[in-house]
Amino acid sequence: MAPHPFLAPLFSLLYLVSAASSEGRYQQGDPVMLYVNKVGPYHNPQETYHYYQLPVCSPVNIRHKSLTLGEVLDGDRMAESMYEIRFRENVDKKVLCDMKLSPQQVERLRQAIEELYYFEFVVDDLPLRGFVGYMEESGFLPHSHKIGLWTHLDFHLEWNGDRVIYANVSVRDVKPASLDDVRGPDPLSITHTYSVRWSETASERR
Ligand SMILES: *[C@@H]1O[C@H](CO)[C@@H](O)[C@H](O)[C@H]1NC(C)=O
């Protein structure tokens, strides 16, 4: 399916309010759902959007998580992601999806990266935050900057017994895909990938 254009009315925002949320207990190989949540400019935490409003990999049918009242009041908008994480199973490098970005979608991403958009995912009630892209500004005239999109994410999770204790997402060893020279009419082909690394921790608590 073609990627959604930004700002299109993607889905009706219907949330169910559930009373309880609890962290899971897992056996090796059990799916650990990663939810996508918000995106927004880093310098304005009040301004948030649904992650799937950006041109990113999204499932054909978007399924929202039922949220607790507190989460609803926090502006959470959790929906299932396409990342496949299984308890204590490492993933080396897996394709999340291939996309052909229209010039409008590239422009939308470029704007988001210029505004230092961060994203928030949630795995087992733990928030994971990272930036959508990378920007490098030169202080010299003529003013210029380089803009890149993170197309690979490394997830790290720590487990103890049958629980997830800690999780983070990083792009430390990743090169961003440059959006600098893609101003023509042609779509830009990109492939989003991810890896998952589990390690055992002695800690039993979060
Ligand atoms: C992410 O988690 C891994 C594994 O626990 C850890 O080695 C790494 O330092 C963490 N990275 C950050 C930026 O906290």
Side-chain angles (χ1 to χ4, degrees), residues 156 158 166 168 199:
H156 301 271
E158 293 182 5
Y166 171 80
N168 71 27
S199 49

Side-chain angles (χ1 to χ4, degrees), residues 18-33:
S18 75
S21 104
S22 60
E23 306 101 45
R25 290 173 177 271
Y26 306 92
Q27 309 217 315
Q28 175 148 12
D30 281 352
V32 180
M33 177 55 74

Side-chain angles (χ1 to χ4, degrees), residues 127-148:
L128 306 178
R129 298 192 186 91
F131 286 102
V132 171
Y134 158 94
M135 182 168 63
E136 187 183 292
E137 295 202 65
S138 92
F140 301 104
L141 291 170
H143 179 81
S144 72
H145 51 213
K146 290 186 194 316
I147 290 191

Side-chain angles (χ1 to χ4, degrees), residues 106 109-115 133-137 144-150 176-183:
V106 171
L109 286 168
R110 196 182 279 130
Q111 271 173 19
I113 294 166
E114 281 182 359
E115 293 176 29
Y134 158 94
M135 182 168 63
E136 187 183 292
E137 295 202 65
S144 72
H145 51 213
K146 290 186 194 316
I147 290 191
L149 175 70
W150 298 118
S178 173
L179 299 185
D180 293 325
D181 303 316
V182 282
R183 305 228 179 230

